[in-house]
Amino acid sequence: MAERITGHTELIGLMAYPIRHSSSPAMQNEAFSKMGFDYAYLAFEVDNSNLEDAVQSIRALKMRGSNVSMPNKTVVHKYLDKLSPAAELTGAVNTIVNDNGILTGHITDGTGFMAALRDNEIDIKGKKITIVGAGGAATAIEIQSALDGVAEMSVFNRKDEFWERAERNVKAINEKTNCNAKLFDLDNLEMLKSEIAASCLFVNATGMGMKPLEGQSYIPDSSYLRPDLVVADVVYSPAETALLKMAKEIGCKCMNGFGMMLFQGSAAFELWTGKPMPIEYMKETLGIKY
Ligand code: NAD
């Protein structure tokens, strides 16, 4: 790394708090080195209190851009000049591109999830899916899969502080895309069972299955699943959640959250450089399996 940094090297940031645990710097810097792009990617501890100054520094330092994560994803749009259609619909931004001082916000979590499905040869266009969640990850997947041509979507969530967001997501999908979306209470397990039975893909897009809920699932038993169902989980730590373990045991095709993580990074990389990440090299170098 030290050998390749010169007076010409441009900076790309990651603005979030907490952020020291992130694997994005290792992933992005490895990809820049491999592809010969003269960028350096660094993580900065930024929360809502210093976000405006941090975004202004992208312009001042002529940075190529930045990733943005919690707690800034749904706030940062205020300080940007333009938004992509998916960022506009989800109300969230995870990637900023600086084109000569004009800052555009994108969200690549949803495109990342869709690219991971394609990489696993899973096609959901024109089909029905069931997804649990209404937070950041879920919203991005719901909006992007509707934009990409999913025909029907059943969304489940608890009646917690995310319920209103679930209502907004379903409304936006029904009004702005050709997908027919419906919202259900996650407490209604009979309904969850029948909606999964009618779907080709079931997605957990909540933190269920990772600490402090590691080893747990809201799916009571494997009678909710069937071997020709694809089961995806946004969680990647652990790599195999209780849900994926149950799904694998009955023969479902499974995908953990590493694919979404890798491909959201690849989509951001492509927005900054114009070229996709060397995906097979990255999988091998980082030991990513999904
Ligand atoms: P969030 O806080 O925005 O949303 C949390 C969601 O979980 C809500 O829908 C909430 O209702 C639901 N929830 C919380 N506790 C629950 C419970 N006990 N039972 C059922 N539902 C419950 O979180 P987020 O940013 O969307 O992250 C959710 C998960 O997605 C996390 O595990 C995160 O690590 C993962 N994630 C993965 C990627 C990736 O690239 N793979 C990207 C972003 C987030």
Side-chain angles (χ1 to χ4, degrees):
M1 186 75 183
E3 288 152 24
R4 77 170 181 85
I5 291 186
T6 70
H8 296 279
T9 308
E10 285 180 60
L11 180 61
I12 295 178
L14 165 57
M15 299 174 177
Y17 187 85
I19 199 54
R20 295 294 172 219
H21 64 284
S22 172
S23 49
S24 291
M27 176 169 75
Q28 295 291 352
N29 286 314
E30 186 66 44
F32 291 140
S33 288
K34 175 72 179 167
M35 297 291 285
F37 286 114
D38 200 4
Y39 294 118
Y41 183 105
L42 289 181
F44 299 102
E45 288 185 328
V46 175
D47 63 16
N48 290 179
S49 67
N50 53 352
L51 181 61
E52 184 171 8
D53 286 347
V55 171
Q56 190 50 34
S57 72
I58 298 176
R59 295 188 182 92
L61 301 177
K62 294 192 170 67
M63 290 165 64
R64 178 65 183 125
S66 185
N67 274 142
V68 179
S69 194
M70 296 316 281
N72 303 320
K73 277 179 158 179
T74 53
V75 181
V76 73
H77 62 90
K78 289 194 270 188
Y79 311 122
L80 305 178
D81 302 300
K82 296 197 283 186
L83 293 177
S84 72
E88 186 101 49
L89 269 181
T90 52
V93 166
N94 78 335
T95 304
I96 301 170
V97 179
N98 179 9
D99 291 308
N100 303 314
I102 306 292
L103 302 188
T104 305
H106 300 262
I107 181 89
T108 66
D109 290 332
T111 46
F113 180 81
M114 296 301 288
L117 284 182
R118 278 196 300 280
D119 194 49
N120 265 323
E121 295 172 353
I122 299 161
D123 181 13
I124 58 172
K125 218 174 159 183
K127 298 180 183 162
K128 171 166 175 155
I129 68 170
T130 293
I131 174 162
V132 180
T139 300
I141 294 170
E142 286 156 12
I143 298 290
Q144 194 63 48
S145 55
L147 287 172
D148 286 359
V150 160
E152 279 184 75
M153 188 184 311
S154 295
V155 175
F156 286 77
N157 207 76
R158 300 193 308 182
K159 288 217 163 152
D160 60 8
E161 70 273 24
F162 288 90
W163 182 257
E164 272 182 32
R165 193 165 178 193
E167 288 180 322
R168 282 203 304 277
N169 291 350
V170 165
K171 189 164 181 272
I173 289 169
N174 285 327
E175 285 177 2
K176 305 258 171 66
T177 77
N178 292 325
C179 177
N180 177 14
K182 291 196 179 89
L183 176 61
F184 302 97
D185 185 346
L186 185 58
D187 274 353
N188 189 345
L189 287 178
E190 277 307 304
M191 188 60 85
L192 180 64
K193 194 172 194 174
S194 67
E195 291 305 296
I196 292 175
S199 299
C200 70
L201 169 71
F202 173 62
V203 187
N204 171 52
T206 75
M208 178 59 84
M210 75 178 265
K211 278 194 182 115
L213 304 171
E214 191 165 345
Q216 298 182 39
S217 171
Y218 40 73
I219 302 273
D221 59 65
S222 61
S223 68
Y224 284 65
L225 312 173
R226 59 180 200 280
D228 68 336
L229 178 74
V230 178
V231 179
D233 206 317
V234 296
V235 173
Y236 52 82
S237 177
E240 188 176 85
T241 56
L243 169 67
L244 291 186
K245 187 168 184 289
M246 189 194 294
K248 255 181 212 161
E249 274 167 11
I250 68 153
C252 300
K253 188 165 187 171
C254 292
M255 185 172 98
N256 67 25
F258 275 122
M260 177 173 170
M261 206 252 297
L262 177 63
F263 282 95
Q264 63 78 28
S266 173
F269 181 95
E270 192 163 351
L271 286 167
W272 296 317
T273 67
K275 292 263 165 29
M277 254 186 193
I279 289 293
E280 293 311 317
Y281 170 82
M282 298 306 295
K283 280 188 209 167
E284 212 172 285
T285 309
L286 304 176
I288 288 180
K289 282 200 182 76
Y290 58 95

